[in-house]
Amino acid sequence: NPVKTRFAPSPTGHLHVGGARTALYNYLLARKTGGTFLLRIEDTDRGRHVEEAVPMILADLKWLGIEWDEGIEAPGQAGPYRQSQRLPIYTGYVRQLIEAGLAYCSAEVAAEPDAAVPAAEGAKGPMGFRRPAQLPTKEQTLAALDGAAPAAIRFLCPGKDVTIHDEVFGDVCIPADQQEDFVILKSDGFPTYNLANVVDDELMGVTMICRGQEFLGQSWRQALLREALGFRTPLYAHLPLIMDMQGRKLSKRDGDVDVHSFRKAGYLPEALVNFIALLGWNPGGERERMSMKELVELFSPDRIGKSNAKFDREKLLAFNTDAGACADEDRLLVCFRDYLSLNETPIPGGDAGLLRRLLRINKGFRTFADIPARCGVLFKADTDYAFDEKAVVKVLVKGEPTGYAVLAEIRGELAGLAWEAPAIESWVEKFCAARSLGMGKVAQPIRVAVTGNTVSPAIVDTLVLLGREKTLARIDRCLAGKTV
């Protein structure tokens, strides 16, 4: 049956790869069943909220190709889709719970942990609060709700075991003695994660909740609230944790962990999507390379595993290398331009013909960052690059004849050469044959002279990109003895 899923990030910065996986799985579930994918913003934790992060997250999702049907920038009948704009709605449901004798005011506000932050792993409650012997009256609690005195509002737990059925982890039971009366409305008038999500999921028609395993331990609270408010019970699918290769929680100590960083580093979005799809799910068999369309066709929650996923950066790099090799030139051009727009490189981004040539001569690149690493020096000023001392000694100083001697002879012949790829290639072959020199004895001295090191595209491509004038100027600079 069609399901309605949602992704509800709390904006604190760019989209984390763990959040990207959650968004992707919800998107795939909705597309697979012909359902709806909703995006809302959870911004009730004002201490952690970063307003500038909202457009950042939207841009990250769009770059990945994860499109939503309803929510921010796609309004529907259940809006608004920012929780900070829904405070009267939450207050109304809190009032309903108070009137039913299921909530009371609590003065222990300062010690209350931020309920928008996921609890520790597992299903046990933190047991950090004990119910007072004498509960405030309904009148006192309603007065607190209406602002008579700053106070949090807590839900009165009924004291019974709660069993959550999860599509991944099965039945998870939370005994009554591991529960506590939890805050549903903070003293600042903002709801906690548990209340806001329960209300929003009901009113927005969400039928399946797919999120990280770290939220499984809070699900009993939401189950009790749904029961107390007469709400429907959605399907649950909690996702395994994402760890680094040492089995630790994924963090920046091992490198970038947000989507924008991989975008800026020169990864293709389809490679990252393919990679994160496999962090906890597999299609069966040995298949690993899949497009978004194929992921939609193959995705099923019953193939989500319980074991923690490993974020293998070498595997991601291999995925990106393959994606770059398989993509057509038009697609690569779009992505390469996006990469250049995010990075300062000497390569001009406005010349499509030049960019296409760079893509062709750098076929087999791992990330787009490889292209300026190999070719960026060709677009600098002729005096704005340094010579690698080891390369100079090895290529130009040593050997018989020396690279300097070969380079001096090359300089004279290049000056009168027709500057086109076929003519340059023919000249290189004839020059090597006439002097019984290997290609390296000719190409490497030119390469060091015009780039300062031994790494560049094929020598013919290098010279064509540079042009005659710049090539000769750089060789003259090298021969003038300014290289060591």
Side-chain angles (χ1 to χ4, degrees):
N1 295 324
V3 298
K4 188 171 188 177
T5 62
R6 49 85 164 168
F7 178 54
S10 297
T12 58
H14 278 292
L15 182 63
H16 187 280
V17 291
R21 181 190 65 171
T22 298
L24 176 63
Y25 283 14
N26 279 285
Y27 171 83
L28 296 176
L29 282 166
R31 292 292 176 269
K32 177 66 177 287
T33 63
T36 304
F37 176 50
L38 179 144
L39 175 67
R40 71 168 180 257
I41 299 297
E42 298 187 350
D43 56 353
T44 58
D45 183 358
R46 305 311 290 177
R48 297 175 66 239
H49 176 73
V50 178
E51 181 58 30
E52 295 78 11
V54 175
M56 291 159 58
I57 291 174
L58 301 187
D60 292 336
L61 290 170
K62 291 174 183 177
W63 180 75
L64 289 171
I66 299 175
E67 301 173 348
W68 53 98
D69 308 299
E70 180 185 342
I72 298 295
E73 296 186 350
Q77 295 181 351
Y81 297 95
R82 281 176 175 260
Q83 290 186 334
S84 60
Q85 298 172 351
R86 299 172 61 82
L87 299 188
I89 297 174
Y90 307 130
T91 302
Y93 282 101
V94 172
R95 188 179 301 277
Q96 179 179 324
L97 291 171
I98 296 171
E99 293 285 1
L102 298 176
Y104 62 92
C105 60
S106 171
E108 294 82 6
V109 183
E112 177 61 29
D114 192 335
V117 178
E121 298 170 31
K124 293 184 178 181
M127 294 301 294
F129 174 82
R130 292 293 181 270
R131 182 184 297 170
Q134 182 68 41
L135 291 178
T137 65
K138 182 188 301 184
E139 290 70 25
Q140 290 173 320
T141 301
L142 288 171
L145 179 67
D146 293 331
I153 307 296
R154 288 183 180 269
F155 179 74
L156 184 67
C157 285
K160 63 179 182 179
D161 296 350
V162 176
T163 298
I164 304 296
H165 177 73
D166 187 78
E167 298 296 314
V168 178
F169 291 92
D171 288 341
V172 178
C173 180
I174 299 86
D177 62 4
Q178 293 179 8
Q179 303 170 22
E180 64 181 10
D181 295 350
F182 53 92
V183 173
I184 55 177
L185 193 72
K186 294 176 284 188
S187 60
D188 60 4
F190 281 83
T192 60
Y193 170 86
N194 293 297
L195 177 76
N197 277 269
V198 164
V199 171
D200 288 347
D201 287 340
E202 172 71 14
L203 299 186
M204 295 179 184
V206 174
T207 60
M208 185 166 191
I209 297 173
C210 180
R211 61 189 179 186
Q213 182 187 345
E214 63 268 24
F215 290 93
L216 182 56
Q218 295 194 34
S219 297
W220 65 271
R221 296 179 175 93
Q222 294 145 40
L224 289 176
L225 282 173
R226 286 191 178 92
E227 182 180 12
L229 292 169
F231 289 169
R232 298 161 296 175
T233 300
L235 294 171
Y236 281 111
H238 286 86
L239 311 177
L241 300 175
I242 301 177
M243 317 297 281
D244 65 16
M245 295 306 290
Q246 286 71 47
R248 304 168 301 187
K249 186 177 180 180
L250 188 65
S251 73
K252 288 191 173 182
R253 64 173 165 260
D254 293 320
D256 296 319
V257 293
D258 60 68
V259 168
H260 184 76
S261 294
F262 288 106
R263 178 183 179 183
K264 190 174 180 181
Y267 284 80
L268 281 84
E270 47 264 50
L272 188 58
V273 164
N274 190 168
F275 175 76
I276 63 176
L278 297 174
L279 295 177
W281 169 84
N282 73 81
E286 301 298 321
R287 186 172 186 179
E288 286 191 321
R289 304 299 197 268
M290 290 161 283
S291 65
M292 184 73 86
K293 181 180 178 181
E294 291 169 325
L295 287 172
V296 170
E297 294 172 352
L298 295 168
F299 192 79
S300 175
D302 59 9
R303 298 203 66 86
I304 298 174
K306 299 179 182 179
S307 301
N308 294 338
K310 292 288 185 72
F311 196 90
D312 187 342
R313 295 175 187 273
E314 291 299 319
K315 185 173 183 178
L316 171 58
L317 189 59
F319 272 40
N320 198 69
T321 304
D322 289 350
C326 295
D328 63 51
E329 192 174 279
D330 288 342
R331 174 60 181 161
L332 290 177
L333 179 62
V334 171
C335 294
F336 188 32
R337 275 182 157 161
D338 179 69
Y339 165 80
L340 292 175
S341 72
L342 298 175
N343 294 275
E344 291 186 10
T345 77
I347 299 174
D351 187 338
L354 171 64
L355 299 185
R356 287 181 183 275
R357 183 173 183 84
L358 288 173
L359 289 168
R360 291 184 203 119
I361 67 178
N362 285 280
K363 193 169 180 61
F365 66 85
R366 297 172 305 167
T367 69
F368 287 120
D370 290 345
I371 299 177
R374 295 182 70 214
C375 303
V377 66
L378 304 178
F379 300 93
K380 293 183 176 181
D382 295 337
T383 57
D384 194 22
Y385 64 94
F387 288 87
D388 181 79
E389 186 173 346
K390 291 182 178 180
V392 170
V393 171
K394 179 181 178 181
V395 176
L396 298 178
V397 175
K398 292 184 177 181
E400 184 56 42
T402 67
Y404 277 129
V406 174
L407 192 59
E409 191 173 356
I410 287 171
R411 166 60 172 89
E413 296 199 15
L414 284 178
L417 192 66
W419 214 261
E420 297 175 349
I424 296 174
E425 184 174 8
S426 176
W427 168 81
V428 171
E429 293 175 356
K430 291 177 182 178
F431 187 92
C432 291
R435 291 155 183 80
S436 300
L437 295 174
M439 178 63 74
K441 280 286 189 177
V442 176
Q444 286 297 74
I446 300 176
R447 184 172 282 115
V448 172
V450 301
T451 69
N453 57 62
T454 57
V455 178
S456 81
I459 197 61
V460 174
D461 293 318
T462 296
L463 297 183
V464 170
L465 284 170
L466 266 178
R468 184 201 310 275
E469 183 179 341
K470 293 176 70 69
T471 297
L472 296 179
R474 293 185 179 204
I475 291 176
D476 288 343
R477 179 190 174 208
C478 179
L479 290 174
K482 301 178 181 178
T483 57
V484 181

